[in-house]
Structures are given as structure tokens and as C-alpha cells.
Amino acid sequence: RVFPMNLKKQLAYIYTNNFFSGLRITDAVWVALLAARGFSLWEIGLAESVYHIVSLFCEVPSGMAADLLGRKKTLVSGGVCMVLQSLLMAFASDLFTICFAMGLNALAMTMFSGTSTALLYDSLKQEGCEEEYIQVSANGSQISMLANAVGSMASILNQFLGYAGFYLLNAAFEGASALANMLLAEPIVTESQASREKHPLHALPEQFRQLVQDSLHVLRTCPMAVKLIASSALISVPSYLTKMFLQQRLVELGWPTELLFLPLLLGGLACVAGTEIGRRVRCRSMRRLYTACALLCGVGTLLVGAAPAWGGILGMMLVQGVLEVWLLHADQRLNALISSDQRATLISVDSMAYSVLMIPASPFVGAVGDLFGQAGAGLALLGVLTAASGTAVLAKRRS
């Protein structure tokens, strides 16, 4: 479809941000690097837990700030936080500093999570093109995934970059992403959004209170939105944990750090393929789609935890690809159900629900791995639980 010129520019800046934010070169090696510096799986899991604790408390407030103060301002602020966390990680020497940097990373990601989706959807809605959301969102996701796959190849530079080098280069990429966000235009589709700049600061508390009431009203009166939020959180738990602990499992199986880029590269390609499948799927029943996706994710997670190296990699690819199919349709359905004035807030609730589950899941999976002396033990258990959720939904449908 041919978009209006101002929307073309907006999408160009969004895609540029997708690319540079996707070049997270530390994702492929951070667990292995910390483990090589003497941190245990439990400590690494704790750092990941700190990330999700901060996400839990900041997710909804950051979404509310985006709805009340503007999506562009929120995205730029998140970009600054990402640069700072990379600089902190580059010079961290103790667990406290690492946990603090992980918390700053989480704060930045909460500013992105609901805000970027809301800005994209309302940019399309402003031009009457919201029916193109799945296609445009899929394009942005694929750009980000391809960039992430390329960034993961930086693990082959382990001997040249070193621990600090990875994070300093990451800071440069995050800075470029923040610059792209600064060039974005703020979409305006409601009277409330048009009058943001006119409200005095002392009126903000009342605006926050009203936003909370309006958002709770949507959750009370729209059970489909609640189901989408809960199901997306549950099925997403294996997404990062399979990539996170697969790194250490491959090291246990004799893989050198320099080759850890390969699973993430393949996982990124699986995400691209999953997004391409997702954009072509015509979903008639979200319940049926969840059942199929949960069962497949469970099988994939079980493979990551219990299969030989290449079987684990294939399992991780299955998890990543299937999740993209589900999330693409779940996001589109959720956006269609909610108002623009509460969009970033309610999408942040979606992300918060994921953090609620990840806070116990991350250290639990790590602790099970430490207990059995194998990083895959916790993942195998997680795979069984994920598949069980799909079976439960199928049983409920038949009852």
C-alpha cells in the first residue's frame, strides 16, 4: 500500500529505530560472560529477576506517562536510559552494580514496550491506515529481528572486544536508536492528545487518577482484553529463558563462547519466518491459536532443556517462531479493543503481567539447573508447564 508522505517519514524513523535497537550485541553472550567472571547461575538469575521486578513496578506508570505526556518524549527518555545502562555494565565489577544496570535496562524497556506499539498504531490511525497494523508491525519486527541476528554474530569478536567492549559498542547503537526517536512526530488522534501541552503541571495528578479509572473500566468491561493479556504473558515466559539458559547449556556441552552467536542467529531467522507466517495466517479463533502455539512452545522448550545441542537449538527456534505468530495477532486484537487515550497504559499492563510471571520463573529455572547440575533441567520443566497451559485451554473449550 502507498502511504501518505508524512506517514512514510514516520515509518522510516520507526524502522531505523527498530534496526539500531535490534543490534543488541550483548544478548548473545551476557550470560556466558558473567559466568566466566565467576557469577553462578543463581546470581545471573537474580540479576534477571531484578530486571523483572523493576519492570513490574514501572511498566504501567511509564505507559501512563506516555499517554499523558507524549509517546515521543517517553521513547527518547528510554533511549537515554539504555545508553546509561550499557555504560554501567561495561565497567561493572560486582553483583550490585550489575543488578542496578539491569534495573535501569528494565526501566528503559518499560518506556518502550507499550509506548512504541501505541505510537505505531496511532500513527497509522491518524492517517486512517490502522487496518495495515499487522503488515507494518511485521515489517518492523522483521527489521529488528534481522538486526538482532546480525548483532548476535558479534560473539565471534569475543577475543577482540572483551567484556567492556561489547557494552561500549552496544551503547553506541542505543545512542543511534535514541536519535531516530527524536525525529519522530507525535501522533494526535483524540482531543485529549491534542491538548496535552495546554495542561498545567498541577493538573497531572488528577489526569493520572482519571487515566487509572478509565483503564480499570476497560479491563472490567472487556474480558477479551484481559484474556489476551494473561495468555500473552503466560506463553511468553519461555521466550527469553530458552535463549538465556541455552547459552550456558551449550557451554556445558563444550561449545566455545565465540560460537554462541549461531543459536541466536538461527533464532532470529526463526522469528522472521514466524512473523512472515503470522502475517499470512487468518485467525478465526484466538483460543484455538493459543492452544496450538502453547503446545508447540512447550515442545520447543522441552527440546532446549533435554535434547542434544542441535536439538536444543531447533527447539529454541520453534519457540521463537511460534511466539511471533501468536503475539502478532494478539497485539492486533488488543489494539482494536482499546481506546487511543489508554493505549500505552493498557499495553503496559500486558507487559507487566509478563514480568509478574518472570520474577519467580527466572531464578526458579536457574535454581533447578543448579540443583541438577544442568542448565537444561529447569527448561525441561518449564516446557511441560507451557504445554500444559495449552492442554488446559483446549480442555476448557471442550467442557
Side-chain angles (χ1 to χ4, degrees):
R1 174 170 179 170
V2 178
F3 293 114
M5 184 57 67
N6 58 337
L7 183 55
K8 285 184 178 179
K9 291 175 62 177
Q10 184 85 333
L11 294 180
Y13 297 139
I14 290 174
Y15 292 156
T16 301
N17 170 65
N18 291 149
F19 177 77
F20 282 106
S21 63
L23 286 173
R24 291 191 293 268
I25 63 172
T26 55
D27 282 5
V29 292
W30 80 275
V31 173
L33 288 175
L34 289 179
R37 297 178 72 198
F39 293 97
S40 68
L41 285 178
W42 183 87
E43 288 175 317
I44 295 171
L46 176 64
E48 179 69 9
S49 221
V50 168
Y51 175 97
H52 291 288
I53 290 172
V54 174
S55 293
L56 174 65
F57 287 102
C58 296
E59 193 70 63
V60 173
S62 67
M64 295 172 68
D67 281 332
L68 292 179
L69 304 177
R71 281 75 185 266
K72 177 180 174 179
K73 292 178 182 178
T74 306
L75 290 176
V76 172
S77 299
V80 173
C81 289
M82 286 298 290
V83 173
L84 291 177
Q85 75 87 23
S86 290
L87 294 176
L88 273 177
M89 286 293 286
F91 303 106
S93 59
D94 57 80
L95 182 61
F96 176 81
T97 305
I98 289 170
C99 288
F100 182 80
M102 290 290 284
L104 194 59
N105 187 7
L107 176 61
M109 295 308 293
T110 63
M111 294 179 180
F112 297 150
S113 59
T115 308
S116 57
T117 300
L119 184 140
L120 172 58
Y121 193 89
D122 280 345
S123 294
L124 294 169
K125 188 172 183 177
Q126 182 175 264
E127 302 296 335
C129 302
E130 60 265 39
E131 73 278 1
E132 299 293 325
Y133 175 79
I134 283 185
Q135 301 302 322
V136 174
S137 179
N139 291 339
S141 295
Q142 289 181 330
I143 290 172
S144 181
M145 293 164 194
L146 287 172
N148 192 251
V150 172
S152 69
M153 296 178 68
S155 66
I156 63 178
L157 302 176
N158 180 51
Q159 294 181 345
F160 305 99
L161 288 177
Y163 181 83
F166 275 105
Y167 283 99
L168 290 176
L169 186 56
N170 200 63
F173 292 146
E174 294 294 352
S177 175
L179 289 175
N181 284 332
M182 292 178 67
L183 296 173
L184 289 168
E186 182 73 29
I188 304 296
V189 297
T190 68
E191 292 183 5
S192 177
Q193 291 173 349
S195 61
R196 280 187 188 126
E197 301 297 331
K198 300 177 182 178
H199 294 302
L201 289 178
H202 64 78
L204 280 178
E206 174 59 25
Q207 289 178 292
F208 271 96
R209 186 191 66 79
Q210 187 62 48
L211 180 57
V212 170
Q213 288 184 344
D214 293 342
S215 300
L216 289 175
H217 176 73
V218 172
L219 293 176
R220 285 196 300 264
T221 58
C222 186
M224 184 60 181
V226 176
K227 291 177 182 178
L228 287 170
I229 289 170
S231 57
S232 292
L234 186 59
I235 199 174
S236 295
V237 169
S239 175
Y240 187 65
L241 291 178
T242 50
K243 293 189 293 185
M244 174 181 170
F245 287 105
L246 179 62
Q247 294 178 26
Q248 187 60 21
R249 183 153 189 261
L250 291 175
V251 171
E252 291 175 355
L253 294 172
W255 280 48
T257 301
E258 288 77 10
L259 290 181
L260 291 180
F261 78 91
L262 186 59
L264 283 190
L265 176 62
L266 295 173
L269 295 177
C271 286
V272 172
T275 303
E276 193 61 32
I277 293 171
R279 78 159 89 216
R280 298 173 187 275
V281 168
R282 296 294 177 262
C283 178
R284 297 180 179 179
S285 169
M286 294 300 292
R287 184 187 294 272
R288 292 177 182 174
L289 182 63
Y290 178 82
T291 297
C293 290
L295 290 172
L296 289 172
C297 283
V299 171
T301 306
L302 185 61
L303 287 173
V304 176
W310 283 103
I313 292 173
L314 289 174
M316 183 269 294
M317 293 174 65
L318 179 61
V319 170
Q320 303 306 316
V322 168
L323 278 174
E324 291 304 321
V325 176
W326 165 258
L327 292 175
L328 195 61
H329 286 273
D331 287 349
Q332 191 276 336
R333 187 67 63 89
L334 181 60
N335 270 293
L337 290 171
I338 58 183
S339 166
S340 292
D341 287 333
Q342 297 97 41
R343 192 177 308 285
T345 301
L346 292 173
I347 296 174
S348 293
V349 173
D350 190 2
S351 300
M352 184 188 70
Y354 169 67
S355 293
V356 168
L357 296 181
M358 283 295 289
I359 288 171
S362 180
F364 175 75
V365 170
V368 173
D370 286 336
L371 179 64
F372 287 91
Q374 298 180 24
L379 290 174
L381 179 58
L382 179 62
V384 172
L385 295 175
T386 304
S389 73
T391 303
V393 168
L394 182 63
K396 183 178 179 181
R397 178 173 174 268
R398 290 179 174 178
S399 63

